[in-house]
Amino acid sequence: NGFSSDNYIRNWATYDQYYVANVYAEYTYDELADHYIKAMVGYNQEWGRNTGFSARANDLITPLIPDLGATIGVHSVTGGKSHVALRGVFYRLNYSYLDRYLIEANGRYDGTSRFPTDDRFGFFPSVSVGWRVSNESFMEGTSNWLDNLKIRASYGTLGNQLLGSNYYPYISTMGSGQSNFMFAGGKTPYVRAAGLVSPTLTWETVATQNIGLDMTALNQRLNFSFDYYIRDTKDMLMDVEYPSILGTAAPKQNAADLRTKGWEVVATWRDKIGQDLIYSLTVGVADNQSEITDYDNPTGALSEYYVGQQLGEFWGYVTEGIFQTDEEVAQHADQSNRGANWKAGDMKYKDLNGDGVINSGSNTLEDPGDRQIIGNNTARYSFSLTPDFQYKNWTMNLFFQGLFRDYLPSNGNWNAFYPFNAGHAEKWYLEESWSPDNPNAYFAKPGIGTSDGKKNIHPQTRFVQDASYIRLRNVTLSYQVPENVIAKLGMTRALLYISGMNLWTGSKMHK
């Protein structure tokens, strides 16, 4: 296709096997008038094996014969095998008294082949309780308007042992290969130093506390549900950064704790007007935030997690505007650390620490230079609206969805959000870029090449987008054909409808 890169053909084959065995038994005892008891116990075992090989040959003689044998270049063959196994027992116990007081207890005791022998098994229990307040005798006076009121609470744990395709994170492995040509001796085979492994690698545990309320009232017209939860992810499985002087890959470790706090509310109103118009409206709102509560980062490096970090936050410079004259550049703090040849039309960054130099400091919490937290891309206050209308044979369903969040476009090469950084320039870029005739432009002046233009698109407050939106995700209008009409055609039911998806979006994002 006119490029100078090597052409090649590759054949590969994989064979996956996965066996699962589940055995469980249930017992229900409901012969007591006021009590209900149900128990379940089970056993689970899984075993998977993957094998594969690949053959590659460079330099096809002709693309008309795409076959390994029709090549004249270097040939290479690779292969591998892996396996994974799980084994566990589990139980569930349900108890109800007078259909008012509800208890459920669950638990799992699981083992995985991914961890060292002494740390393979973990026990993950949970318990939930419910109180149906509306069934109490002191609530009899509310029966004319309150249909159901239940308060519930729970605490539970789950285990996570998934590390992608890393099936042996506790085994120190050595890579191998061949060196480049060494004079007349050809290529020399070598074995690389083994990476480090954690001697205490074990399950990641997610513990969730929840309290909730369910209510139905006004003859089933109003439904309301509320939940508040705290989720602690303990011993998170992750990579840890080490100084490059280590000389080998860092091991997977149970290195961090994370806490998420959130709530959810859903309310539905259903009613009718007259005999023919039936309508309903469901509103849902949810929010949560996650914070690092434990992590070993003694230097406070911003390139790693740190205690107190809100997930999704991003750091950047505070933009004071665009330099309008070269004299303004000369009088401002020195920005040469962030780029060269600053002139009128370039971005003007605020000297937050007052040292007369714009830089990123030591890239630590103690010394972030002239950067600060300028936004968070976590979805906040996610919401949905679902109005439905039915009039005689006509029905209309709508679904709106949206959220609130910040968004900072990446300044990597070929990102088309930024002018002169995507390999081309469009008319609207030029109209929104600074010039002496356009001093209030959104973007800085045009740059020559990405290296010159990059200095104006460092992460900064100017380009943080209000990415909040509301979207009409779905709308459907349908008509139920009357039975007396379709009966003449030999049919029992017919529905005509028209629908659309993502028909409208409201947002303050830059075009």
Side-chain angles (χ1 to χ4, degrees), residues 322 324 431-443 462:
I322 296 178
Q324 299 299 321
E431 292 174 345
E432 295 195 61
S433 296
W434 183 92
S435 71
D437 297 328
N438 189 20
N440 298 317
Y442 185 63
F443 296 108
R462 190 179 192 87

Side-chain angles (χ1 to χ4, degrees), residues 267-452:
T268 300
W269 175 262
R270 296 185 180 91
D271 205 353
K272 62 189 303 183
I273 300 175
Q275 296 298 316
D276 296 323
L277 179 59
I278 301 172
Y279 69 93
S280 70
L281 175 64
T282 299
V283 179
V285 184
D287 185 44
N288 69 77
Q289 282 188 290
S290 299
E291 178 180 329
I292 297 295
T293 55
D294 183 45
Y295 188 77
D296 186 16
N297 183 0
T299 64
L302 297 179
S303 58
E304 299 186 57
Y305 289 124
Y306 58 85
V307 174
Q309 178 181 357
Q310 298 286 334
L311 289 196
E313 68 184 27
F314 45 84
W315 291 67
Y317 297 96
V318 176
T319 316
E320 292 189 311
I322 296 178
F323 291 117
Q324 299 299 321
T325 65
D326 292 344
E327 289 76 15
E328 190 179 349
V329 176
Q331 296 171 5
H332 188 62
D334 181 12
Q335 297 191 166
S336 60
N337 186 267
R338 299 288 79 196
N341 196 29
W342 294 89
K343 293 182 178 297
D346 288 324
M347 284 296 175
K348 181 181 181 180
Y349 302 125
K350 188 173 183 178
D351 184 10
L352 293 181
N353 58 14
D355 63 356
V357 178
I358 305 298
N359 59 28
S360 59
S362 302
N363 197 36
T364 63
L365 287 170
E366 290 287 334
D367 181 21
D370 299 290
R371 295 177 302 159
Q372 65 181 27
I373 297 172
I374 60 174
N376 192 301
N377 60 21
T378 302
R380 301 294 310 276
Y381 306 108
S382 304
F383 64 89
S384 64
L385 303 171
T386 312
D388 296 322
F389 305 93
Q390 182 178 347
Y391 180 74
K392 295 185 178 179
N393 288 26
W394 292 90
T395 301
M396 174 171 279
N397 309 105
L398 298 101
F399 174 43
F400 295 88
Q401 179 264 334
L403 52 80
F404 296 83
R405 64 173 289 196
D406 299 322
Y407 169 64
L408 180 64
S410 166
N411 64 358
N413 290 341
W414 311 108
N415 188 329
F417 176 84
Y418 299 102
F420 329 112
N421 195 44
H424 60 274
E426 298 184 24
K427 181 180 179 182
W428 70 273
Y429 283 157
L430 302 178
E431 292 174 345
E432 295 195 61
S433 296
W434 183 92
S435 71
D437 297 328
N438 189 20
N440 298 317
Y442 185 63
F443 296 108
K445 67 179 183 181
I448 301 175
T450 57
S451 60
D452 184 51

